[in-house]
Amino acid sequence: MCVDAAAYRAMPKWLFDQVRTQGGLATIVARESIAMLGDSPAAFGHVGEPRARAADLRAGFVDTDRPHVMVVWRKALEDADKRRLVDMVAGLGPF
């Protein structure tokens, strides 16, 4: 995800303050996107940029044991099922 810094500069101060309070545009978009996933058991992200990782952490993502792969577990799953999903997603490569 990319957020153009000019978008922040174009906002009225009240909106900028509200967006900042909610964690920034990337965090807001990530949270809202996850909320639209229906009954999906997890949402994954491939994150390499430190500011993107911080935004994803604010949105509820956690690190996995795979480099750059983060997840939001949306349902209670057995550890074996979590492992299977993480392995499958990591096998896709960067996305």
Side-chain angles (χ1 to χ4, degrees):
M1 177 183 317
C2 297
V3 176
D4 183 354
Y8 286 104
R9 289 190 295 274
M11 291 179 186
K13 183 171 177 3
W14 67 266
L15 181 56
F16 174 82
D17 291 343
Q18 184 177 355
V19 168
R20 185 176 54 189
T21 298
Q22 294 180 38
L25 290 173
T27 300
I28 293 167
V29 169
R31 280 187 194 131
E32 294 300 317
S33 297
I34 292 165
M36 291 191 275
L37 290 176
D39 64 348
S40 175
F44 287 89
H46 189 277
V47 183
E49 201 277 326
R51 289 176 298 176
R53 182 176 178 278
D56 284 350
L57 288 169
R58 288 190 300 270
F61 282 85
V62 295
D63 291 314
T64 68
D65 63 343
R66 298 301 188 95
H68 308 294
V69 178
M70 299 182 78
V71 64
V72 173
W73 297 112
R74 302 183 71 238
K75 291 184 176 181
L77 297 173
E78 299 290 329
D79 287 343
D81 292 327
K82 288 181 177 181
R83 168 63 26 215
R84 181 184 55 78
L85 287 173
V86 169
D87 289 346
M88 181 181 71
V89 169
L92 296 173
F95 55 92

